[in-house]
């Protein structure tokens, strides 16, 4: 997974047995205009959850489950890994030019932390609109200096989950209405080195 510089990092829910997963991409497509959920909130008063820093946080589980654009399969598999801990990573930052923070949500698998779906939500009138989604696993989305960066490992037939043959990293930029692909980098890894240790980067191509 590429290491992006997150503008503002929100609550990241990690679960026992769930580490950083793989990452990926699909054409961002037109901006989604469906307003899927109000700002997530504690059950008591329905208001957004304030943090000590003043960052307004959302309930990512409620956001995903209320979103009609999220597939039934992702919703069905979105369950706590242990206790009340869900396999979801959440990032807050500016990626659509909105005056308030956008929300990037990554849904992972419990068993191996594979990215099952990545989504970007933009606040509009106190509600959140799904303006980007990718449900082609393994996929992981991040905010990197105002850009949306989606990373996806590439696997060969005999590749182990921990050792993909390569990786695609795609950068999207918001054009005022939707995300457009700005840059794409494909990296191919060599065969394992150090007698079967970690794979080493071999060839990188950039569009």
């Amino acid at each position: 997974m590429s290491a992006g510089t997150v503008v503002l990092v929100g609550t990241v829910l990690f679960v026992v047995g769930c580490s950083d997963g793989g990452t990926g991409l699909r054409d961002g497509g037109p901006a989604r205009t469906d307003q899927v959920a109000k700002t997530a909130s504690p059950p008591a008063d329905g208001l957004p959850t304030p943090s000590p820093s003043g960052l307004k946080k959302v309930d990512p589980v409620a956001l995903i489950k209320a979103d009609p654009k999220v597939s039934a399969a992702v919703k069905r598999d979105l369950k706590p890994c242990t206790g009340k801990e869900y396999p979801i990573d959440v990032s807050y930052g500016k990626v659509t030019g909105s005056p308030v923070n956008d929300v990037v949500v990554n849904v992972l698998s419990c068993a191996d932390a594979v990215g099952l779906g990545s989504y970007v939500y933009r606040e509009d009138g106190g509600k959140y609109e799904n303006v980007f989604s990718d449900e082609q696993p393994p996929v992981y989305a991040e905010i990197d200096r105002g850009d949306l960066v989606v990373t996806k490992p590439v696997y060969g037939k005999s590749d182990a989950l921990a050792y993909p043959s390569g990786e695609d990293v795609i950068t999207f930029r918001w054009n005022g209405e939707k995300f457009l692909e700005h840059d794409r980098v494909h990296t191919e890894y060599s065969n394992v080195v150090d007698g079967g240790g970690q794979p080493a980067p071999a060839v990188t191509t950039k569009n």
Side-chain angles (χ1 to χ4, degrees):
M1 183 179 72
S2 65
T5 302
V6 179
V7 178
L8 288 174
V9 180
T11 303
V12 181
L13 305 180
F14 289 100
V15 184
V16 176
C18 291
S19 59
D20 287 344
T23 55
L25 147 96
R26 165 172 89 179
D27 186 339
R32 312 260 186 165
T33 57
D34 305 89
Q35 294 182 330
V36 298
K38 291 185 177 181
T39 304
S41 58
D45 55 14
L47 298 176
T49 304
S51 70
S53 64
L55 177 67
K56 184 173 67 175
K57 299 180 180 180
V58 303
D59 179 344
V61 176
L63 200 63
I64 291 295
K65 289 187 175 181
D67 186 350
K69 296 300 182 180
V70 174
S71 70
V74 170
K75 292 180 180 179
R76 182 182 62 247
D77 293 338
L78 182 55
K79 300 176 181 179
C81 295
T82 179
K84 296 182 179 180
E85 300 287 340
Y86 283 83
I88 289 183
D89 289 356
V90 187
S91 297
Y92 300 85
K94 304 293 181 62
V95 72
T96 69
S98 173
V100 297
N101 286 322
D102 303 301
V103 183
V104 177
V105 180
N106 288 285
V107 178
L108 313 174
S109 65
C110 285
D112 43 30
V114 169
L116 303 178
S118 297
Y119 312 90
V120 178
Y121 292 94
R122 187 173 193 265
E123 186 178 2
D124 182 13
K127 297 183 179 181
Y128 283 94
E129 301 175 7
N130 181 334
V131 294
F132 178 91
S133 61
D134 182 348
E135 294 182 334
Q136 296 180 0
V139 58
Y140 200 91
E142 300 172 282
I143 301 173
D144 185 354
R145 291 166 290 187
D147 290 333
L148 177 65
V149 178
V150 181
T151 309
K152 185 171 186 177
V154 177
Y155 291 93
K157 291 183 179 179
S158 60
D159 290 345
L161 182 63
Y163 302 120
S165 296
E167 181 181 73
D168 287 326
V169 179
I170 305 92
T171 300
F172 292 94
R173 286 185 177 171
W174 184 255
N175 74 346
E177 296 181 352
K178 61 183 178 181
F179 284 102
L180 297 177
E181 183 176 322
H182 173 73
D183 189 55
R184 178 185 293 255
V185 175
H186 174 73
T187 299
E188 294 180 357
Y189 296 117
S190 69
N191 293 327
V192 294
V193 296
D194 297 330
Q198 298 290 331
V203 179
T204 300
T205 59
K206 183 174 181 179
N207 289 350

